[in-house]
Amino acid sequence: MAEVSKDSYQAINWNHIEDELDKATWEKLTQQFWLDTRIPISNDLRTWRGNMSPEERELMNLVFGGLTTLDTLQSQDGIASLRKDAVNQKEEAVLNNIQFMESVHAKSYSSIFETLNEKATIDEIFDWADTNQYLQYKANRINDIYQNGSALEKKVASVFLETFLFYSGFYTPLYFLGHNRMLNVAEIIKLIIRDESVHGTYIGYKFQLGFKKLSEEEQTKLKEWMYDLLFELYSNEEQYTHELYDGVGWTEEVLTFLRYNANKALMNLGQEAMFPDGPEDVNSVVMNGISTSTANHDFFSGVGNGYLLGQVEAMDNDDYDI
Ligand SMILES: [Fe+2]
Ligand SMILES: [Fe+2]
């Protein structure tokens, strides 16, 4: 074999795999590829206009405004910052896939807004998201770690964002899904949750690889930092949740759901739970919402040269648990 000079530009070779999990994640993510434009959101219009109170409509709009901010952060800054620390070329390729899907997630909310709301209302939602103090606090706190943190700190920030902070927003569509309302909107949210579940597992796994290489002293220091950060984010999330959910009276149950997901984020990072809350404590309507099958729309249809989009698999609690 010819000697490869140091300044040669290295072609990615998928026939030489450094870490099987890179390949398995690439395959899983490409199989579950989807686009917002394939979900018939307008089928929810009748429910939106006839079966949702103005308060419920506003809540839905605001949580999606918040989620737009966080997915924008992931697509613009989050994944780009993680990619700088990739340990091999396949990891970079997986992160490329993740980054594109974050753009799909962020755009999905605009598709929902466009279908359900007038332009003036949409502008109000974006004004709210760009100025809400608690939402801005978490976005900027996480982004600061993306810009200035170490490779391992950035992974913690990403897993906290995707496995924990998103869930104050996801609660609303899952709650309505559990009550058989806004089913197509919920379908989009479940596709996003399914992606995030793989992202959280994968980035958490990469964190654990690096964490194992640290000295015991460095591990203790990083753990302290991690739990402090989680607690700080939870305190902010409590205020965000009060602001959004006090009006409909769901604040306490949303906070339970958040603590349960905070534990899941720690689990993805290979760490011990921080809160006593388990799945049995979460509102069962919302848990049922998570575990219902993901419906098939036109995912079987051929696109281009006989290329088939991945079939959407039924989603169950195990998927959520990855
Ligand atoms: Fe996302
Ligand atoms: Fe993600």
Side-chain angles (χ1 to χ4, degrees):
M1 215 162 132
E3 187 94 357
V4 179
S5 103
K6 257 198 252 148
D7 44 6
S8 96
Y9 197 98
Q10 213 186 333
I12 185 165
N13 181 0
W14 282 93
N15 295 306
H16 171 74
I17 299 292
E18 295 86 351
D19 185 338
E20 281 299 328
L21 202 87
D22 295 325
K23 189 165 177 254
T25 305
W26 173 272
E27 282 164 5
K28 177 133 184 84
L29 288 175
T30 49
Q31 253 171 36
Q32 66 185 43
F33 176 77
W34 61 280
L35 287 171
D36 52 305
T37 43
R38 294 187 167 249
I39 314 292
I41 304 166
S42 57
N43 289 353
D44 286 348
L45 257 179
R46 199 202 288 223
T47 306
W48 179 253
R49 288 175 182 156
N51 284 326
M52 304 275 288
S53 68
E55 215 172 27
E56 289 172 334
R57 282 198 293 262
E58 184 181 65
L59 174 64
M60 191 89 130
N61 282 337
L62 296 187
V63 299
F64 288 163
L67 289 165
T68 306
T69 304
L70 301 184
D71 265 317
T72 307
L73 170 60
Q74 281 306 78
S75 66
Q76 289 183 176
D77 289 286
I79 308 304
S81 86
L82 297 178
R83 202 164 37 209
K84 290 180 191 150
D85 313 309
V87 295
N88 68 60
Q89 290 172 293
K90 287 80 182 185
E91 181 178 332
E92 282 200 61
V94 171
L95 291 170
N96 287 342
N97 174 300
I98 292 178
Q99 187 174 39
F100 175 72
M101 289 315 292
E102 300 302 356
S103 293
V104 173
H105 299 172
K107 178 178 174 293
S108 297
Y109 301 114
S110 286
S111 299
I112 295 172
F113 294 146
E114 186 189 26
T115 309
L116 303 178
N117 294 291
E118 305 289 332
K119 189 184 172 296
T121 310
I122 299 174
D123 290 345
E124 278 169 26
I125 299 167
F126 279 89
D127 283 345
W128 178 86
D130 293 347
T131 54
N132 178 272
Q133 61 168 317
Y134 306 118
L135 177 61
Q136 287 299 315
Y137 181 87
K138 58 181 157 176
N140 283 306
R141 183 72 173 93
I142 298 287
N143 194 29
D144 182 52
I145 300 167
Y146 285 152
Q147 303 309 327
N148 304 305
S150 69
L152 290 178
E153 287 169 348
K154 288 191 249 171
K155 291 181 179 70
V156 171
S158 181
V159 172
F160 281 178
L161 179 67
E162 297 195 332
T163 312
F164 166 44
L165 297 176
F166 278 156
Y167 282 83
S168 50
F170 291 154
Y171 196 87
T172 298
L174 291 173
Y175 178 94
F176 288 127
L177 170 64
H179 289 92
N180 218 21
R181 285 195 277 169
M182 304 303 289
L183 301 184
N184 291 284
V185 165
E187 186 67 17
I188 289 190
I189 300 311
K190 289 179 62 168
L191 289 164
I192 293 176
I193 289 177
R194 192 178 62 168
D195 287 348
E196 298 307 355
S197 146
V198 179
H199 300 170
T201 313
Y202 179 73
I203 294 164
Y205 163 80
K206 292 284 173 176
F207 169 86
Q208 292 185 47
L209 293 182
F211 187 77
K212 275 187 205 132
K213 291 186 188 149
L214 299 179
S215 70
E216 214 172 299
E217 198 184 326
E218 288 167 324
Q219 288 188 350
T220 309
K221 221 176 127 200
L222 184 55
K223 261 192 205 173
E224 261 175 39
W225 177 86
M226 191 188 313
Y227 282 88
D228 284 351
L229 175 65
L230 187 64
F231 189 75
E232 178 194 328
L233 292 170
Y234 179 74
S235 304
N236 181 68
E237 212 56 17
E238 273 186 310
Q239 312 203 57
Y240 185 64
T241 303
H242 275 292
E243 185 173 321
L244 285 171
Y245 289 100
D246 278 357
V248 290
W250 308 349
T251 305
E252 286 314 313
E253 55 186 276
V254 176
L255 290 175
T256 304
F257 189 55
L258 282 180
R259 292 190 296 268
Y260 163 67
N261 284 291
N263 285 343
K264 276 179 168 289
L266 288 166
M267 202 177 74
N268 280 341
L269 297 164
Q271 308 297 319
E272 308 238 324
M274 178 161 134
F275 298 107
D277 310 75
E280 67 286 353
D281 299 309
V282 176
N283 182 343
S284 55
V285 167
V286 169
M287 283 314 250
N288 287 343
I290 286 173
S291 60
T292 33
S293 301
T294 302
N296 283 307
H297 296 288
D298 58 343
F299 281 86
F300 289 110
S301 62
V303 177
N305 297 315
Y307 170 74
L308 284 175
L309 280 174
Q311 177 189 346
V312 176
E313 297 156 27
M315 185 167 167
D316 54 31
N317 275 325
D318 288 347
D319 283 314
Y320 185 58
D321 272 346
I322 283 184

